[in-house]
Amino acid sequence: QVQLVESGGGLVQAGGSLKLSCAASGNIGSIIARGWYRDVPGKVREFIAAIRDGNVTVYGDSVKGRFTMGRDNAKNIVTLQMNNLKPEDTGVYLCSAGTVVGGMYAENWGQGTQVTVSP
């Protein structure tokens, strides 16, 4: 099992920046992918970014060119640098870790961190 803890959320004005972090602990060796998602009330959970297949980073269309996902393998941390934030970026940002144990895939989630972007 993997535990994930996000940090770095807060309130920022439109056009500003924030950097989120997600620390993983537990069965680190089982992790094959890391990702970020966004929850907004009344909407489907939105894919933001992910690192897969070792080192391939992919982004959701709404954040391409503005958000950058990074990682520090030594510290088991992934980050999400968010620039040029817009009010529609407001939501709870969740960190995910895809794991494989005994041939079974599972998605692990953090508790989330709130990001609020004011106009």
Side-chain angles (χ1 to χ4, degrees), residues 37-118:
Y37 289 76
R38 178 167 67 205
D39 273 352
V40 176
K43 293 187 176 182
V44 176
R45 180 167 291 178
E46 181 182 4
F47 168 74
I48 299 299
I51 296 177
R52 303 167 178 162
D53 300 328
N55 219 20
V56 177
T57 307
V58 293
Y59 297 94
D61 288 341
S62 67
V63 305
K64 281 179 182 176
R66 300 187 298 123
F67 290 12
T68 302
M69 183 173 180
R71 70 179 180 185
D72 182 337
N73 287 334
K75 298 181 180 179
N76 299 316
I77 291 174
V78 294
T79 59
L80 186 68
Q81 177 66 46
M82 305 185 293
N83 298 329
N84 190 22
L85 283 160
K86 304 174 182 180
E88 51 264 43
D89 293 319
T90 295
V92 175
Y93 283 70
L94 300 111
C95 174
S96 74
T99 59
V100 176
V101 177
M104 296 291 290
Y105 179 84
E107 198 79 40
N108 302 262
W109 298 95
Q111 292 297 309
T113 185
Q114 176 71 43
V115 171
T116 303
V117 184
S118 63

